[in-house]
Amino acid sequence: MKSDVVKVGFEKAPHKSLFKALGVLDEELERPLIGVVNSYNELIPGHMNLDKIAAAVKAGVRIAGGTPFEFGTIGVCDGISMNHMGMKYSLGSRELIADAAEIMAVAHGLDGLVFIPNCDKVVPGMLMAAARLNLPAIFISGGPMLAGIVNGRRVGLTQVFEAVGSVAGGTIEESALEEYIERACPTCGSCAGMFTANSMNCLTEALGMGLPGNGTIPAVYSERIRLAKQAGMKIVDLIKQNIRPADIITAAAFHNVICADMAIGCSTNSVLHLLAIAHEAGVDIDLNSFNQLSASVPQLCKLSPAGDHFVEDLYHAGGVQAILNELSKKGLINGDCLTVTGKTVAENIKSRSVLNHNVIRTMDDPYSPNGGLAILFGNLAPEGAVVKRGAVAPEMMRHSGPARVYNSEEEASRAIWSRKIKPGDVIVIRYEGPRGGPGMREMLTPTSSIAGMNLDKEVALITDGRFSGATRGASIGHVSPEAAAGGTIALVEEGDLIKIDIPNYSLELLVDEQTLQKRRDNWREPEPNIKKGYMSRYAERVQSASTGAILR
């Protein structure tokens, strides 16, 4: 076993003495030593129950004959860090999470790992670590939050942000926000819509690294505690069978994941994270992979913010396994892929039928014949840009309009709240990319303000930053190269015409090349926004969003 490096041989007497100081018995040391990687903290609602999940995991490990050791990672609540300096630190936390898990596992000679994530950067950070370490590993998330109810309508965090926009637009009174504050987030768990956390937890299941139900069983259901015990038991089996992430996280598995991504209509952030995970796994995918599958994979779900269903509805409709089963009917799923169940995808999904066709449409009656995400290319985004096509109104699928240019999220938000944005405008927010931000902030405040002011069917937004999965409308992010790297988005001037053609995967700045070259010659890279600490080092090493914002 891997843990022999800390417990076998007379020269390991000091090591064993330190285990004794922990209260560990000889009998426990003889078993597989399993790290329980828990992102629990008291700041994130999605992590509020992870102490209970960890306790259940450790019980399962002991039942199966292993010895668990729990340790923590950091985590950032994207909702709480939204629209201020804190959001610059969110994406960068992904790398620290991966590094922390790597350090703890290698330093202590662990045999296997159970990862317990539940929010936006924690899930991909842990998946990156699992792929990098290639120790037997399994994931058990904390589960999704239940939807809240305001004025008889089911709501989630999206509706709170949009209500702020409605206040700014004068369509509701500020006092109406109190009901949203009290009711919109009624339980622990990752926010109730198909935002980034739930997207990544569902895709972890589709990848084969989480047990069936990992992505959709609500956080407050006792079924999730039982699943956590099963995950603890299963890691011991994976160690005995020597099943490792490299056996599961394959090119064929990524095919399945991208198909699931398109069918569910996941967050645009999923593109960023899947590229980074594939890089760690040594699997070759790029942005073209998403468009190729998007052309052939229909969108089967419309979950909030794209529609009125929430993740709890997806759970009751059969969950991720039912979606994979439906996709398999048209030969879109590689059924031979191995999963952490020890079985193949085909074996897992065989009896998982769709239970509610209003939530999960059939292949013959999809919401859209194309996937929920699209990658746009053109002179404004030579390396690509990402849009959540499934959440765009039909009238905005093709749009041309004058650029309204802002060099930060704050500038743009002030303009929106001051009602300076008019129907037909294309808002451009730049210098918010991985390097320029730094940290590629999410733009939920401006996008939800536009929606709350009922402009989402008339106004587009383009940025080298990114969007929360809670964003809807013609919101195009991840524009690459970013402004701080001298990308075309840095050259856009007020009033320039921008043409968006989502069906044809196109994003064009309608300015001739000679004029752009003159602007390019006069462009100068701005001073860094953060000049010390972790994010200053991050800015020096981070690469384009088109790579997944991986580090050099």
Side-chain angles (χ1 to χ4, degrees), residues 271-550:
V271 175
L272 197 72
H273 299 320
L274 290 176
L275 289 169
I277 296 160
H279 173 75
E280 293 285 357
V283 174
D284 184 21
I285 64 170
D286 58 23
L287 290 175
N288 290 310
S289 305
F290 291 85
N291 275 350
Q292 288 164 6
L293 290 175
S294 178
S296 58
V297 178
Q299 184 172 358
L300 303 182
C301 303
K302 282 259 187 178
L303 301 164
S304 178
D308 295 328
H309 298 132
F310 291 85
V311 180
E312 64 194 85
D313 301 311
L314 179 58
Y315 161 75
H316 290 296
V320 174
Q321 301 298 308
I323 292 170
L324 296 178
N325 189 343
E326 191 65 27
L327 292 172
S328 72
K329 294 176 181 178
K330 299 291 186 181
L332 293 172
I333 293 297
N334 288 304
D336 294 334
C337 292
L338 186 64
T339 73
V340 290
T341 65
K343 300 177 181 178
T344 65
V345 168
E347 291 172 312
N348 290 341
I349 67 176
K350 185 166 60 173
S351 60
R352 302 283 183 148
S353 57
V354 176
L355 304 176
N356 184 338
H357 286 297
N358 290 321
V359 178
I360 305 173
R361 294 278 188 92
T362 66
M363 292 292 289
D364 296 323
D365 181 33
Y367 281 102
S368 167
N370 304 116
L373 298 176
I375 314 299
L376 311 185
F377 294 93
N379 71 339
L380 189 50
E383 294 178 6
V386 186
V387 63
K388 192 169 186 175
R389 173 169 50 190
V392 178
E395 51 265 55
M396 290 300 291
M397 297 296 280
R398 290 184 172 91
H399 178 78
S400 294
R404 306 299 307 280
V405 184
Y406 304 97
N407 289 334
S408 71
E409 177 190 4
E410 288 85 356
E411 282 185 29
S413 294
R414 285 193 295 268
I416 294 166
W417 294 333
S418 301
R419 305 187 195 182
K420 293 179 180 178
I421 303 302
K422 306 301 179 186
D425 286 347
V426 178
I427 300 169
V428 175
I429 307 177
R430 62 191 180 191
Y431 296 106
E432 291 285 9
R435 179 169 129 197
M440 206 179 177
R441 282 194 290 184
E442 289 184 347
M443 303 290 164
L444 181 54
T445 294
T447 58
S448 59
S449 295
I450 290 167
M453 296 169 79
N454 297 318
L455 290 171
D456 57 299
K457 296 179 181 179
E458 300 176 282
V459 170
L461 193 153
I462 297 171
T463 181
D464 54 7
R466 58 198 176 90
F467 299 114
S468 164
T471 289
R472 62 185 173 94
S475 301
I476 300 166
H478 307 202
V479 170
S480 301
E482 63 176 289
T488 308
I489 191 171
L491 310 179
V492 181
E493 293 186 358
E494 190 80 8
D496 286 349
L497 284 179
I498 293 175
K499 182 179 179 181
I500 300 164
D501 188 344
I502 296 173
N504 288 308
Y505 306 100
S506 175
L507 181 62
E508 295 285 342
L509 175 63
L510 302 182
V511 175
D512 65 87
E513 183 54 37
Q514 186 178 5
T515 301
L516 288 179
Q517 187 57 52
K518 288 180 180 177
R519 295 179 186 179
R520 193 172 289 115
D521 293 340
N522 292 323
W523 177 81
R524 297 292 180 269
E525 183 176 353
E527 284 286 310
N529 287 318
I530 298 177
K531 298 181 181 180
K532 62 181 180 179
Y534 172 69
M535 288 309 295
S536 68
R537 301 193 300 274
Y538 177 88
E540 291 172 357
R541 296 187 59 205
V542 70
Q543 299 184 61
S544 169
S546 63
T547 71
I550 60 175

